[in-house]
Amino acid sequence: MRQDARCPKCGSLERHRLAYVLLCDRLAGDQVTLHSSPEPAVTRWLRSISRSYLSIDLDGSLAMRAMDLTRLDLPDASQTLVYCSHVLEHIPDDRSAMNEIRRVLQPGGVAAIQVPIRGPETDEDLTVTDPDERRARYRQFDHVRFYGLDISARLSAAGFAVETLDAADLPEELVERQALSLRSTQQVFLCTAV
């Protein structure tokens, strides 16, 4: 485990703390929230700003409902917030997932998206299926790509106005105090349904 990765008090990782720091003043209460692949450190916060909260995962034992992010069993425009952290890099058809997130968001609703980022351009080859090759190329056997900052173009194509929030824009003292220095997770893509 990386030094300072997990908070001994709340169990959060750098990406959880970064999302909270970047979003806590931007996400008002009274949300109708869909949380994909819920992480306990984030669940508590999202529940506190939601009048309705639903967590989903392909494995129903890990969330409130079993659901595929590429085929959401939810009505159109039924959510005001979708939180999706470190999920899209696991999904071969990420564009379908992005389109589904947009479909279930009300106009003006937001999706908070986090993915590991390496460089300006996405590295993706869906023919790579060997777990060892995936681990070498994408750092995990179950990743199908390593996103670049060009993910914002994919999100825009799904019908979002995308704002890239970056740890680099935070005061250095805050980054150090909150241990937000994990290089591959420095951005939160705040996507507003248009």
Side-chain angles (χ1 to χ4, degrees), residues 140-156:
Q140 282 187 215
F141 75 93
D142 57 348
H143 284 186
V144 296
R145 71 186 55 80
F146 216 130
Y147 284 103
L149 290 171
D150 62 348
I151 186 178
S152 60
R154 290 184 190 210
L155 293 163
S156 294

Side-chain angles (χ1 to χ4, degrees), residues 96-118:
S96 287
M98 293 173 189
N99 288 330
E100 278 293 275
I101 292 169
R102 171 57 192 94
R103 180 186 66 77
V104 301
L105 274 173
Q106 296 176 7
V110 296
I113 307 289
Q114 279 185 298
V115 293
I117 297 286
R118 183 174 59 200

Side-chain angles (χ1 to χ4, degrees), residues 31-42:
Q31 299 286 342
V32 178
T33 301
L34 176 64
H35 187 185
S36 179
S37 299
E39 300 158 300
V42 178

